[in-house]
Amino acid sequence: MAVHLVLWVLLALVILRLGGAMPPYTTKPSDVLPSSSIVPVARLDTVFSPEEWPSVVLHTNAPSAFFTDAFVPAPKPPPPPPPPPPTTRKVALTYQGFYETAGGPRLGMVKTETGFTQAGLGVQVITNHFVAEISMHGLTLTNTAAQTNLLLLNIPKELEIPIK
């Protein structure tokens, strides 16, 4: 309610003072004297005269005051010698099961990177690895260093073999 009353009082004051008078403006004389010439051309002929040209030409190959060696990259070290060529490689093998014919030996199915291999006991599957045992759950491989590797059914296994 008080805000409403204050707004009505402000409106009444504005309406009553609408016919106010203009402030008095007077003119004052200037104290600054005008310049006699706008463009100073009296000294313009000395700007392009040969006497004002520099007599010594600066050397273009002189070091600059702004030259620094702080941002020059360090020399690169020589590259390391190449590693010796590998003597072994890794091959993934997966035992796929075996089959046996009437009166024949068991032949195990091994999936290699090049395809499928059928191998019986004592047969070489890959370089330096021979079949030592064939069962339902796995295939045992042995190499010439008498190390054995067990390939479980349908589980890929990586073996290191020598490169020929």
Side-chain angles (χ1 to χ4, degrees):
M1 176 76 177
V3 173
H4 198 274
L5 181 65
V6 169
L7 288 175
W8 280 108
V9 170
L10 284 176
L11 182 62
L13 288 175
V14 168
I15 291 174
L16 290 177
R17 301 222 184 233
L18 275 180
M22 291 290 291
Y25 289 115
T26 60
T27 58
K28 185 177 176 183
S30 175
D31 294 337
V32 180
L33 296 175
S35 65
S36 61
S37 175
I38 296 175
V39 179
V41 292
R43 297 181 316 190
L44 194 59
D45 58 348
T46 61
V47 171
F48 297 108
S49 69
E51 291 84 24
E52 297 296 323
W53 291 355
S55 60
V56 177
V57 178
L58 297 176
H59 298 289
T60 57
N61 291 335
S64 170
F66 300 101
F67 180 75
T68 179
D69 286 335
F71 301 108
V72 175
K76 292 183 181 178
T87 57
T88 61
R89 67 181 177 105
K90 292 189 177 188
V91 175
L93 298 176
T94 306
Y95 175 58
Q96 298 285 316
F98 73 93
Y99 68 92
E100 185 175 10
T101 59
R106 285 187 178 176
L107 296 175
M109 300 272 299
V110 179
K111 181 180 176 184
T112 62
E113 57 190 14
T114 59
F116 288 95
T117 303
Q118 299 176 7
L121 290 176
V123 176
Q124 181 176 353
V125 177
I126 54 172
T127 307
N128 259 2
H129 285 79
F130 302 93
V131 176
E133 181 183 351
I134 300 174
S135 69
M136 288 184 69
H137 302 291
L139 177 84
T140 304
L141 295 176
T142 185
N143 62 8
T144 55
Q147 296 174 338
T148 60
N149 295 301
L150 178 63
L151 301 178
L152 296 176
L153 185 66
N154 291 328
I155 298 175
K157 184 171 184 175
E158 279 192 347
L159 298 177
E160 274 195 46
I161 62 169
I163 296 177
K164 289 183 179 181

